[in-house]
Coordinates of all heavy atoms in Angstrom, one line a residue:
M1 N -5.9 -25.5 -14.5 CA -5.0 -24.4 -14.9 C -3.5 -24.8 -14.5 O -3.3 -25.4 -13.4 CB -5.4 -23.1 -14.2 CG -4.5 -21.9 -14.6 SD -5.0 -20.4 -13.8 CE -6.5 -20.0 -14.6
K2 N -2.6 -24.6 -15.3 CA -1.2 -24.9 -15.0 C -0.3 -23.7 -15.3 O -0.4 -23.1 -16.3 CB -0.7 -26.1 -15.9 CG 0.7 -26.5 -15.7 CD 1.1 -27.7 -16.5 CE 2.5 -28.0 -16.5 NZ 3.1 -28.5 -15.4
I3 N 0.6 -23.4 -14.4 CA 1.5 -22.3 -14.5 C 2.6 -22.7 -15.6 O 3.3 -23.7 -15.4 CB 2.2 -22.0 -13.2 CG1 1.2 -21.7 -12.1 CG2 3.2 -20.8 -13.3 CD1 0.3 -20.5 -12.3
K4 N 2.6 -21.9 -16.6 CA 3.6 -22.2 -17.7 C 4.8 -21.4 -17.7 O 5.8 -21.8 -18.2 CB 2.9 -22.1 -19.1 CG 1.7 -23.0 -19.3 CD 1.0 -22.8 -20.6 CE -0.2 -23.7 -20.8 NZ -0.9 -23.4 -22.0
K5 N 4.7 -20.1 -17.2 CA 5.8 -19.2 -17.2 C 5.6 -18.2 -16.1 O 4.5 -18.1 -15.5 CB 5.8 -18.4 -18.6 CG 4.5 -17.5 -18.8 CD 4.6 -16.8 -20.0 CE 3.4 -15.8 -20.1 NZ 3.5 -14.9 -21.2
P6 N 6.7 -17.5 -15.7 CA 6.6 -16.4 -14.7 C 5.7 -15.3 -15.2 O 5.7 -15.0 -16.4 CB 8.0 -16.0 -14.5 CG 8.8 -17.0 -15.1 CD 8.1 -17.7 -16.2
A7 N 4.9 -14.7 -14.3 CA 4.0 -13.6 -14.7 C 3.8 -12.8 -13.4 O 4.0 -13.2 -12.3 CB 2.7 -14.1 -15.3
S8 N 3.3 -11.5 -13.6 CA 3.1 -10.7 -12.5 C 1.8 -9.8 -12.7 O 1.3 -9.7 -13.9 CB 4.3 -9.8 -12.2 OG 4.6 -9.0 -13.3
A9 N 1.4 -9.2 -11.7 CA 0.2 -8.2 -11.7 C 0.4 -7.3 -10.5 O 0.9 -7.7 -9.5 CB -1.1 -9.0 -11.7
G10 N -0.2 -6.1 -10.7 CA -0.2 -5.1 -9.6 C 0.9 -4.1 -9.7 O 1.7 -4.1 -10.7
T11 N 1.0 -3.2 -8.7 CA 2.0 -2.2 -8.7 C 2.6 -2.1 -7.3 O 2.2 -2.8 -6.4 CB 1.3 -0.8 -9.0 OG1 0.5 -0.4 -7.9 CG2 0.5 -0.8 -10.3
L12 N 3.5 -1.2 -7.1 CA 4.2 -1.0 -5.8 C 3.6 0.3 -5.2 O 4.2 0.8 -4.2 CB 5.7 -0.9 -6.0 CG 6.4 -2.1 -6.5 CD1 7.8 -1.9 -6.8 CD2 6.2 -3.3 -5.5
E13 N 2.5 0.7 -5.7 CA 1.8 1.9 -5.1 C 1.1 1.6 -3.8 O 0.8 0.5 -3.5 CB 0.8 2.5 -6.1 CG 1.3 2.8 -7.5 CD 2.3 4.0 -7.4 OE1 2.0 5.0 -6.7 OE2 3.3 4.0 -8.1
S14 N 0.8 2.7 -3.1 CA 0.1 2.5 -1.8 C -1.2 1.9 -2.1 O -1.9 2.2 -3.1 CB -0.1 3.9 -1.2 OG -0.7 3.8 0.0
S15 N -1.7 1.1 -1.2 CA -3.0 0.3 -1.2 C -3.0 -0.7 -2.3 O -4.1 -1.1 -2.7 CB -4.1 1.3 -1.4 OG -4.2 2.2 -0.3
D16 N -1.9 -1.1 -2.8 CA -1.8 -2.1 -3.9 C -0.8 -3.2 -3.4 O -0.2 -3.1 -2.4 CB -1.4 -1.5 -5.2 CG -1.9 -2.4 -6.4 OD1 -2.4 -3.5 -6.2 OD2 -1.7 -1.9 -7.5
V17 N -0.8 -4.3 -4.2 CA 0.2 -5.3 -4.0 C 0.8 -5.8 -5.3 O 0.0 -5.8 -6.3 CB -0.5 -6.5 -3.3 CG1 -1.6 -7.1 -4.1 CG2 0.5 -7.6 -2.9
F18 N 2.0 -6.0 -5.4 CA 2.7 -6.6 -6.6 C 2.8 -8.1 -6.4 O 3.4 -8.5 -5.4 CB 4.1 -5.9 -6.8 CG 4.7 -6.4 -8.1 CD1 4.4 -5.8 -9.3 CD2 5.7 -7.4 -8.0 CE1 5.0 -6.2 -10.5 CE2 6.3 -7.8 -9.2 CZ 5.9 -7.2 -10.4
V19 N 2.2 -8.8 -7.3 CA 2.2 -10.3 -7.2 C 3.0 -10.9 -8.3 O 2.7 -10.5 -9.5 CB 0.8 -10.8 -7.2 CG1 0.8 -12.4 -7.2 CG2 0.0 -10.3 -6.0
S20 N 3.9 -11.8 -8.0 CA 4.6 -12.5 -9.1 C 4.4 -14.0 -8.9 O 4.4 -14.5 -7.7 CB 6.1 -12.2 -9.2 OG 6.7 -12.4 -7.9
V21 N 4.2 -14.7 -9.9 CA 3.9 -16.1 -9.9 C 4.8 -16.8 -10.9 O 5.1 -16.3 -11.9 CB 2.4 -16.4 -10.4 CG1 2.1 -17.9 -10.5 CG2 1.4 -15.7 -9.5
A22 N 5.3 -18.0 -10.5 CA 6.2 -18.7 -11.3 C 6.0 -20.2 -11.1 O 5.4 -20.6 -10.1 CB 7.7 -18.4 -10.9
P23 N 6.3 -21.0 -12.1 CA 6.2 -22.5 -12.0 C 7.0 -23.0 -10.8 O 8.1 -22.4 -10.4 CB 6.8 -23.0 -13.3 CG 6.7 -21.9 -14.2 CD 6.9 -20.7 -13.4
N24 N 6.6 -24.0 -10.1 CA 7.3 -24.6 -9.0 C 7.1 -26.1 -9.0 O 6.6 -26.7 -8.1 CB 6.8 -24.0 -7.7 CG 7.7 -24.3 -6.5 OD1 8.9 -24.5 -6.7 ND2 7.1 -24.4 -5.3
E25 N 7.4 -26.7 -10.2 CA 7.2 -28.1 -10.4 C 7.9 -29.0 -9.3 O 9.0 -28.9 -9.1 CB 7.7 -28.5 -11.8 CG 6.8 -27.9 -12.9 CD 7.1 -28.5 -14.2 OE1 7.4 -29.6 -14.3 OE2 6.9 -27.7 -15.2
G26 N 7.0 -29.8 -8.7 CA 7.5 -30.7 -7.7 C 7.7 -30.0 -6.3 O 8.1 -30.7 -5.3
G27 N 7.5 -28.7 -6.2 CA 7.7 -28.0 -5.0 C 6.4 -27.6 -4.3 O 6.5 -26.9 -3.3
G28 N 5.3 -27.9 -4.8 CA 4.0 -27.6 -4.2 C 3.8 -26.1 -4.2 O 4.2 -25.4 -5.2
I29 N 3.2 -25.5 -3.2 CA 2.9 -24.1 -3.1 C 3.9 -23.5 -2.2 O 4.1 -23.9 -1.1 CB 1.5 -23.9 -2.5 CG1 0.4 -24.5 -3.4 CG2 1.2 -22.4 -2.4 CD1 0.2 -24.0 -4.8
D30 N 4.6 -22.4 -2.7 CA 5.5 -21.7 -2.0 C 5.1 -20.2 -2.0 O 5.1 -19.6 -3.1 CB 6.9 -21.9 -2.6 CG 8.0 -21.1 -1.8 OD1 7.9 -20.9 -0.6 OD2 9.0 -20.7 -2.5
I31 N 4.8 -19.6 -0.9 CA 4.3 -18.3 -0.8 C 5.3 -17.4 0.0 O 5.6 -17.8 1.1 CB 2.9 -18.2 -0.2 CG1 1.9 -18.9 -1.0 CG2 2.5 -16.7 0.0 CD1 0.5 -19.0 -0.4
E32 N 5.8 -16.3 -0.6 CA 6.7 -15.4 0.1 C 6.0 -14.1 0.2 O 5.5 -13.5 -0.8 CB 8.0 -15.3 -0.7 CG 9.0 -14.4 -0.1 CD 10.2 -14.2 -1.0 OE1 10.5 -15.2 -1.7 OE2 10.9 -13.2 -0.9
L33 N 5.9 -13.6 1.4 CA 5.2 -12.3 1.6 C 6.1 -11.3 2.2 O 6.8 -11.5 3.2 CB 4.0 -12.6 2.6 CG 3.2 -11.4 3.1 CD1 2.5 -10.6 1.9 CD2 2.2 -11.8 4.1
E34 N 6.1 -10.1 1.6 CA 6.8 -8.9 2.1 C 5.8 -7.8 2.4 O 5.2 -7.3 1.4 CB 7.8 -8.5 1.0 CG 8.7 -7.3 1.4 CD 9.6 -7.0 0.2 OE1 10.2 -7.8 -0.4 OE2 9.7 -5.7 0.0
S35 N 5.6 -7.5 3.6 CA 4.6 -6.5 4.0 C 5.0 -5.9 5.4 O 5.4 -6.6 6.3 CB 3.2 -7.1 4.1 OG 2.3 -6.2 4.6
E36 N 4.7 -4.6 5.5 CA 4.9 -4.0 6.8 C 3.9 -4.4 7.9 O 4.1 -4.3 9.1 CB 4.9 -2.5 6.7 CG 6.1 -1.9 5.9 CD 6.1 -0.4 5.8 OE1 5.3 0.3 6.5 OE2 6.9 0.1 5.0
V37 N 2.8 -5.0 7.4 CA 1.7 -5.4 8.3 C 1.6 -6.9 8.3 O 0.6 -7.4 8.7 CB 0.4 -4.7 7.9 CG1 0.4 -3.2 8.1 CG2 0.0 -5.1 6.5
E38 N 2.7 -7.6 8.0 CA 2.7 -9.1 8.0 C 2.3 -9.6 9.3 O 1.6 -10.6 9.4 CB 4.0 -9.6 7.5 CG 4.0 -11.1 7.4 CD 5.3 -11.7 6.8 OE1 6.2 -10.9 6.5 OE2 5.4 -12.9 6.7
A39 N 2.8 -9.1 10.4 CA 2.6 -9.6 11.7 C 1.1 -9.5 12.0 O 0.6 -10.4 12.7 CB 3.4 -8.8 12.7
L40 N 0.4 -8.5 11.6 CA -1.0 -8.4 11.8 C -1.9 -9.1 10.8 O -2.9 -9.8 11.2 CB -1.4 -6.9 11.8 CG -0.8 -6.0 12.9 CD1 -1.2 -4.6 12.7 CD2 -1.4 -6.4 14.3
F41 N -1.6 -9.0 9.6 CA -2.5 -9.6 8.5 C -1.9 -10.6 7.6 O -2.5 -11.1 6.7 CB -3.0 -8.4 7.6 CG -3.7 -7.3 8.4 CD1 -3.1 -6.1 8.6 CD2 -4.9 -7.5 8.9 CE1 -3.7 -5.1 9.3 CE2 -5.6 -6.6 9.6 CZ -5.0 -5.3 9.8
G42 N -0.7 -11.1 8.0 CA 0.0 -12.1 7.1 C -0.8 -13.3 6.9 O -0.9 -13.9 5.8
D43 N -1.4 -13.9 8.0 CA -2.2 -15.1 7.8 C -3.4 -14.9 6.9 O -3.7 -15.8 6.1 CB -2.7 -15.6 9.2 CG -1.6 -16.1 10.1 OD1 -0.5 -16.4 9.5 OD2 -1.8 -16.2 11.3
A44 N -4.1 -13.8 7.0 CA -5.2 -13.5 6.2 C -4.8 -13.3 4.7 O -5.5 -13.7 3.8 CB -6.0 -12.2 6.7
M45 N -3.7 -12.6 4.5 CA -3.2 -12.4 3.2 C -2.8 -13.8 2.5 O -3.1 -14.0 1.4 CB -2.0 -11.5 3.2 CG -2.3 -10.1 3.7 SD -0.9 -9.1 4.1 CE -0.4 -8.6 2.5
E46 N -2.1 -14.6 3.3 CA -1.8 -15.9 2.7 C -3.0 -16.8 2.5 O -3.1 -17.5 1.5 CB -0.9 -16.7 3.7 CG -0.4 -18.0 3.1 CD 0.7 -18.7 4.0 OE1 1.5 -18.0 4.7 OE2 0.7 -19.9 4.0
A47 N -4.0 -16.6 3.3 CA -5.3 -17.4 3.1 C -6.0 -16.9 1.8 O -6.5 -17.7 1.0 CB -6.2 -17.2 4.3
A48 N -5.9 -15.6 1.5 CA -6.5 -15.1 0.3 C -5.8 -15.6 -1.0 O -6.4 -16.0 -2.0 CB -6.4 -13.5 0.3
V49 N -4.4 -15.7 -0.9 CA -3.7 -16.3 -2.0 C -4.0 -17.8 -2.1 O -4.3 -18.2 -3.3 CB -2.1 -16.1 -1.7 CG1 -1.3 -16.9 -2.8 CG2 -1.8 -14.6 -1.7
R50 N -4.0 -18.5 -1.1 CA -4.3 -20.0 -1.1 C -5.7 -20.2 -1.7 O -5.9 -21.2 -2.4 CB -4.1 -20.6 0.2 CG -2.6 -20.7 0.6 CD -2.4 -21.6 1.8 NE -1.0 -21.6 2.2 CZ -0.1 -22.3 1.6 NH1 -0.4 -23.1 0.7 NH2 1.2 -22.2 2.0
R51 N -6.7 -19.3 -1.3 CA -8.0 -19.5 -1.8 C -8.1 -19.3 -3.4 O -8.7 -20.1 -4.1 CB -8.9 -18.5 -1.1 CG -10.4 -18.6 -1.5 CD -11.3 -17.7 -0.6 NE -10.7 -16.4 -0.3 CZ -10.2 -16.0 0.9 NH1 -10.1 -16.8 1.9 NH2 -9.7 -14.7 1.0
E52 N -7.3 -18.3 -3.9 CA -7.3 -18.1 -5.3 C -6.6 -19.3 -6.0 O -7.0 -19.7 -7.1 CB -6.7 -16.8 -5.7 CG -7.5 -15.6 -5.3 CD -8.9 -15.6 -6.0 OE1 -9.0 -15.9 -7.2 OE2 -9.9 -15.3 -5.3
L53 N -5.5 -19.8 -5.5 CA -4.8 -20.9 -6.0 C -5.7 -22.1 -6.1 O -5.8 -22.8 -7.1 CB -3.6 -21.2 -5.2 CG -2.4 -20.2 -5.3 CD1 -1.4 -20.5 -4.3 CD2 -1.9 -20.0 -6.7
A54 N -6.4 -22.4 -5.0 CA -7.4 -23.5 -5.0 C -8.5 -23.4 -6.0 O -8.8 -24.3 -6.7 CB -7.9 -23.7 -3.5
L55 N -9.1 -22.2 -6.1 CA -10.1 -21.9 -7.1 C -9.7 -22.2 -8.5 O -10.4 -22.7 -9.3 CB -10.7 -20.5 -7.0 CG -11.5 -20.2 -5.8 CD1 -11.8 -18.7 -5.6 CD2 -12.9 -21.0 -5.9
A56 N -8.4 -21.9 -8.8 CA -7.8 -22.1 -10.1 C -7.3 -23.5 -10.3 O -6.8 -23.9 -11.4 CB -6.7 -21.1 -10.4
G57 N -7.3 -24.3 -9.2 CA -6.8 -25.7 -9.3 C -5.3 -25.8 -9.4 O -4.7 -26.8 -9.8
I58 N -4.6 -24.8 -8.8 CA -3.2 -24.7 -8.8 C -2.6 -25.5 -7.6 O -3.0 -25.2 -6.5 CB -2.6 -23.3 -8.8 CG1 -3.2 -22.5 -10.0 CG2 -1.1 -23.3 -8.7 CD1 -2.7 -22.9 -11.3
T59 N -1.7 -26.5 -7.8 CA -1.2 -27.2 -6.7 C 0.4 -27.0 -6.6 O 1.0 -27.4 -5.7 CB -1.5 -28.7 -6.9 OG1 -0.9 -29.2 -8.1 CG2 -3.0 -29.0 -6.8
E60 N 0.9 -26.4 -7.7 CA 2.4 -26.1 -7.7 C 2.6 -24.7 -8.2 O 2.3 -24.5 -9.4 CB 3.1 -27.1 -8.5 CG 3.0 -28.6 -8.0 CD 3.8 -29.5 -8.8 OE1 4.0 -29.3 -10.0 OE2 4.2 -30.6 -8.3
A61 N 3.1 -23.8 -7.4 CA 3.4 -22.5 -7.8 C 4.3 -21.8 -6.8 O 4.1 -22.0 -5.6 CB 2.1 -21.7 -8.0
A62 N 5.1 -20.9 -7.2 CA 5.9 -20.0 -6.3 C 5.2 -18.6 -6.5 O 5.2 -18.1 -7.6 CB 7.3 -20.0 -6.8
V63 N 4.8 -18.1 -5.4 CA 4.0 -16.8 -5.4 C 4.8 -15.9 -4.5 O 5.0 -16.2 -3.3 CB 2.6 -17.0 -4.9 CG1 1.8 -15.7 -5.0 CG2 1.9 -18.1 -5.7
R64 N 5.0 -14.7 -5.0 CA 5.7 -13.6 -4.1 C 4.8 -12.4 -4.1 O 4.3 -12.0 -5.2 CB 7.1 -13.3 -4.7 CG 7.8 -12.2 -3.9 CD 9.2 -12.1 -4.3 NE 9.9 -11.2 -3.3 CZ 10.5 -10.1 -3.7 NH1 10.5 -9.7 -4.9 NH2 11.0 -9.3 -2.8
L65 N 4.6 -11.9 -2.9 CA 3.8 -10.7 -2.8 C 4.6 -9.6 -2.1 O 5.2 -9.8 -1.1 CB 2.5 -10.9 -1.9 CG 1.4 -11.8 -2.4 CD1 1.8 -13.3 -2.2 CD2 0.1 -11.5 -1.8
Q66 N 4.5 -8.4 -2.7 CA 5.1 -7.2 -2.1 C 3.9 -6.3 -1.8 O 3.4 -5.6 -2.7 CB 6.1 -6.5 -3.1 CG 7.3 -7.4 -3.3 CD 8.2 -6.8 -4.4 OE1 8.1 -7.1 -5.6 NE2 9.1 -5.9 -4.0
D67 N 3.5 -6.3 -0.6 CA 2.3 -5.6 -0.2 C 2.5 -4.2 0.3 O 3.5 -3.9 1.0 CB 1.6 -6.4 0.9 CG 0.4 -5.6 1.5 OD1 -0.5 -5.4 0.7 OD2 0.4 -5.3 2.7
H68 N 1.6 -3.3 -0.1 CA 1.7 -1.9 0.3 C 0.3 -1.5 0.8 O -0.2 -0.4 0.5 CB 2.2 -1.0 -0.8 CG 3.6 -1.3 -1.2 ND1 4.7 -0.8 -0.6 CD2 4.1 -2.2 -2.1 CE1 5.8 -1.2 -1.1 NE2 5.5 -2.1 -2.0
G69 N -0.3 -2.3 1.6 CA -1.6 -2.0 2.2 C -2.8 -2.4 1.4 O -3.9 -1.8 1.6
A70 N -2.7 -3.5 0.6 CA -3.8 -3.9 -0.2 C -4.9 -4.6 0.6 O -4.6 -5.3 1.6 CB -3.3 -4.8 -1.3
L71 N -6.1 -4.4 0.3 CA -7.2 -5.1 0.9 C -7.3 -6.6 0.3 O -6.7 -6.8 -0.7 CB -8.6 -4.4 0.6 CG -8.7 -3.0 1.2 CD1 -10.0 -2.4 0.7 CD2 -8.7 -3.1 2.7
D72 N -8.0 -7.5 1.0 CA -8.1 -8.8 0.5 C -8.6 -8.9 -0.9 O -8.2 -9.8 -1.7 CB -9.0 -9.7 1.5 CG -8.3 -10.1 2.7 OD1 -7.1 -9.8 2.9 OD2 -9.0 -10.7 3.6
C73 N -9.6 -8.1 -1.3 CA -10.2 -8.2 -2.6 C -9.2 -7.8 -3.7 O -9.1 -8.3 -4.8 CB -11.4 -7.3 -2.7 SG -11.2 -5.6 -2.3
V74 N -8.3 -6.8 -3.3 CA -7.2 -6.4 -4.3 C -6.2 -7.6 -4.4 O -5.7 -7.9 -5.5 CB -6.5 -5.1 -3.8 CG1 -5.3 -4.8 -4.6 CG2 -7.5 -4.0 -3.7
I75 N -5.8 -8.2 -3.3 CA -4.9 -9.3 -3.3 C -5.5 -10.4 -4.2 O -4.8 -10.9 -5.1 CB -4.6 -9.8 -1.9 CG1 -3.9 -8.8 -1.1 CG2 -3.8 -11.1 -1.9 CD1 -3.7 -9.0 0.4
A76 N -6.7 -10.8 -4.0 CA -7.3 -11.8 -4.8 C -7.3 -11.5 -6.3 O -7.0 -12.3 -7.1 CB -8.8 -12.1 -4.3
A77 N -7.7 -10.2 -6.6 CA -7.7 -9.8 -8.0 C -6.3 -9.9 -8.6 O -6.2 -10.3 -9.8 CB -8.3 -8.4 -8.1
R78 N -5.3 -9.4 -7.9 CA -4.0 -9.4 -8.5 C -3.4 -10.8 -8.6 O -2.8 -11.2 -9.6 CB -3.0 -8.6 -7.6 CG -3.4 -7.1 -7.5 CD -3.4 -6.5 -8.8 NE -3.4 -5.0 -8.6 CZ -3.7 -4.2 -9.6 NH1 -4.0 -4.6 -10.8 NH2 -3.7 -2.9 -9.3
V79 N -3.7 -11.7 -7.7 CA -3.3 -13.1 -7.8 C -4.0 -13.8 -9.0 O -3.3 -14.4 -9.8 CB -3.6 -13.9 -6.5 CG1 -3.4 -15.4 -6.7 CG2 -2.7 -13.4 -5.3
R80 N -5.3 -13.6 -9.1 CA -6.0 -14.2 -10.2 C -5.5 -13.7 -11.5 O -5.3 -14.5 -12.5 CB -7.5 -13.9 -10.1 CG -8.3 -14.6 -11.2 CD -9.8 -14.5 -11.0 NE -10.2 -15.1 -9.7 CZ -11.5 -15.3 -9.4 NH1 -12.4 -15.0 -10.3 NH2 -11.8 -15.9 -8.3
C81 N -5.2 -12.4 -11.7 CA -4.7 -11.9 -12.9 C -3.3 -12.5 -13.2 O -3.0 -12.9 -14.3 CB -4.5 -10.3 -12.8 SG -3.9 -9.5 -14.3
A82 N -2.4 -12.5 -12.2 CA -1.1 -13.1 -12.4 C -1.2 -14.6 -12.8 O -0.4 -15.1 -13.7 CB -0.2 -13.0 -11.2
L83 N -2.1 -15.3 -12.2 CA -2.3 -16.7 -12.6 C -2.7 -16.9 -14.0 O -2.2 -17.8 -14.7 CB -3.3 -17.4 -11.6 CG -2.9 -17.6 -10.2 CD1 -4.1 -18.1 -9.4 CD2 -1.7 -18.5 -10.1
Y84 N -3.7 -16.1 -14.5 CA -4.1 -16.2 -15.8 C -3.0 -15.9 -16.8 O -2.8 -16.5 -17.9 CB -5.4 -15.4 -16.1 CG -6.6 -16.1 -15.8 CD1 -7.1 -16.2 -14.5 CD2 -7.3 -16.7 -16.8 CE1 -8.3 -16.9 -14.2 CE2 -8.5 -17.4 -16.5 CZ -9.0 -17.5 -15.2 OH -10.1 -18.2 -14.9
R85 N -2.2 -14.9 -16.5 CA -1.1 -14.5 -17.3 C 0.0 -15.6 -17.3 O 0.5 -16.0 -18.4 CB -0.4 -13.2 -16.8 CG -1.3 -12.0 -17.1 CD -0.7 -10.8 -16.5 NE -1.5 -9.6 -16.8 CZ -1.3 -8.4 -16.3 NH1 -0.3 -8.2 -15.4 NH2 -2.0 -7.4 -16.7
A86 N 0.2 -16.2 -16.2 CA 1.2 -17.3 -16.1 C 0.8 -18.6 -16.8 O 1.6 -19.3 -17.3 CB 1.5 -17.6 -14.6
A87 N -0.5 -18.8 -16.8 CA -1.0 -20.0 -17.5 C -1.3 -19.7 -18.9 O -1.7 -20.7 -19.7 CB -2.3 -20.4 -16.8
E88 N -1.1 -18.5 -19.4 CA -1.4 -18.1 -20.8 C -2.8 -18.4 -21.2 O -3.1 -18.9 -22.2 CB -0.4 -18.7 -21.7 CG 1.0 -18.3 -21.5 CD 2.0 -18.9 -22.4 OE1 1.9 -20.1 -22.8 OE2 3.0 -18.2 -22.8
E89 N -3.7 -18.1 -20.2 CA -5.2 -18.3 -20.5 C -5.9 -17.0 -20.5 O -5.5 -16.1 -19.8 CB -5.8 -19.3 -19.4 CG -5.3 -20.7 -19.5 CD -6.1 -21.6 -18.6 OE1 -7.2 -21.2 -18.1 OE2 -5.5 -22.7 -18.3
R90 N -7.0 -17.0 -21.2 CA -7.8 -15.7 -21.2 C -8.9 -15.9 -20.2 O -9.5 -16.9 -20.1 CB -8.4 -15.6 -22.6 CG -7.3 -15.3 -23.7 CD -8.0 -15.0 -25.0 NE -8.9 -13.9 -24.9 CZ -8.7 -12.8 -25.6 NH1 -7.7 -12.7 -26.4 NH2 -9.5 -11.7 -25.4
Y91 N -9.2 -14.8 -19.5 CA -10.3 -14.8 -18.5 C -11.6 -14.5 -19.3 O -11.7 -13.6 -20.1 CB -10.0 -13.7 -17.5 CG -10.9 -13.7 -16.3 CD1 -10.7 -14.5 -15.3 CD2 -12.1 -12.9 -16.3 CE1 -11.6 -14.5 -14.2 CE2 -13.0 -12.9 -15.2 CZ -12.7 -13.7 -14.2 OH -13.6 -13.8 -13.1
D92 N -12.6 -15.3 -19.0 CA -13.9 -15.1 -19.6 C -14.7 -14.1 -18.8 O -15.3 -14.5 -17.8 CB -14.6 -16.5 -19.7 CG -15.9 -16.4 -20.5 OD1 -16.4 -15.3 -20.8 OD2 -16.5 -17.4 -20.7
W93 N -14.8 -12.9 -19.3 CA -15.4 -11.8 -18.5 C -17.0 -12.0 -18.6 O -17.7 -11.3 -17.8 CB -15.0 -10.5 -19.1 CG -13.6 -10.2 -18.8 CD1 -12.6 -10.3 -19.7 CD2 -13.0 -9.7 -17.6 NE1 -11.4 -10.0 -19.1 CE2 -11.7 -9.6 -17.8 CE3 -13.6 -9.4 -16.3 CZ2 -10.8 -9.2 -16.8 CZ3 -12.7 -9.0 -15.3 CH2 -11.4 -8.9 -15.6
T94 N -17.5 -12.8 -19.4 CA -18.9 -13.0 -19.5 C -19.5 -13.9 -18.5 O -20.7 -14.0 -18.3 CB -19.3 -13.5 -20.9 OG1 -18.8 -14.8 -21.1 CG2 -18.8 -12.5 -22.0
R95 N -18.6 -14.6 -17.8 CA -19.1 -15.5 -16.7 C -18.5 -15.0 -15.4 O -17.4 -14.5 -15.2 CB -18.5 -16.9 -17.0 CG -19.1 -17.6 -18.2 CD -18.6 -19.0 -18.4 NE -18.7 -19.8 -17.2 CZ -18.4 -21.0 -17.2 NH1 -18.0 -21.6 -18.2 NH2 -18.5 -21.7 -16.0
E96 N -19.4 -15.2 -14.3 CA -19.0 -14.8 -13.0 C -17.7 -15.5 -12.5 O -16.9 -15.0 -11.8 CB -20.1 -15.1 -12.0 CG -21.0 -13.9 -11.8 CD -22.0 -14.1 -10.7 OE1 -21.6 -14.6 -9.7 OE2 -23.2 -13.7 -10.9
D97 N -17.6 -16.8 -12.9 CA -16.4 -17.6 -12.4 C -15.3 -17.5 -13.3 O -14.3 -18.2 -13.1 CB -16.9 -19.0 -12.1 CG -17.3 -19.7 -13.4 OD1 -17.3 -19.1 -14.5 OD2 -17.5 -21.0 -13.3
G98 N -15.3 -16.7 -14.4 CA -14.2 -16.5 -15.3 C -14.1 -17.7 -16.3 O -13.1 -17.9 -16.9
G99 N -15.1 -18.6 -16.3 CA -15.1 -19.7 -17.2 C -14.3 -20.9 -16.6 O -13.9 -21.8 -17.3
Q100 N -14.1 -20.9 -15.3 CA -13.3 -22.0 -14.7 C -14.2 -23.2 -14.5 O -15.3 -23.2 -14.2 CB -12.8 -21.6 -13.3 CG -11.8 -20.5 -13.5 CD -11.2 -20.1 -12.1 OE1 -11.1 -20.9 -11.2 NE2 -10.8 -18.9 -12.0

């Protein structure tokens, strides 16, 4: 999967996270996290993002998260959604792995 354009997923509502993804050619992975609980859960949140990027085979992307208390599963879902939108690919709902 390759990031072709900027894309986003999520909301700024409580218990959610707004994720934006953009191409970052030659810059590797750049993650920016904005959260009131970053000191407590920032490492776990970044790990969830890196896990989704790795699963999608992404090695270059700029990812920004605006967290409002999202659980890891919500973070993963929002990142995956933003990645598919940014790559202009369709998610295969008939397969557990999304057709990856």
Side-chain angles (χ1 to χ4, degrees):
M1 181 180 291
K2 179 176 168 76
I3 304 298
K4 297 178 182 176
K5 66 177 188 174
S8 61
T11 69
L12 298 173
E13 300 294 321
S14 181
S15 300
D16 202 353
V17 61
F18 184 79
V19 176
S20 55
V21 175
N24 194 29
E25 292 190 33
I29 301 295
D30 180 31
I31 299 174
E32 181 182 332
L33 175 60
E34 180 182 317
S35 175
E36 291 182 12
V37 295
E38 183 177 358
L40 294 171
F41 301 109
D43 291 343
M45 295 167 77
E46 185 173 328
V49 172
R50 289 189 183 279
R51 187 170 40 253
E52 288 304 313
L53 293 170
L55 286 170
I58 303 290
T59 58
E60 296 181 334
V63 183
R64 181 168 186 240
L65 290 86
Q66 293 173 270
D67 174 58
H68 294 276
L71 298 173
D72 282 357
C73 59
V74 174
I75 294 169
R78 297 303 193 196
V79 169
R80 186 175 295 192
C81 181
L83 290 176
Y84 272 82
R85 288 176 177 171
E88 297 180 325
E89 291 189 17
R90 295 182 61 118
Y91 188 85
D92 184 354
W93 294 100
T94 62
R95 294 181 50 174
E96 268 189 42
D97 65 356
Q100 294 183 30

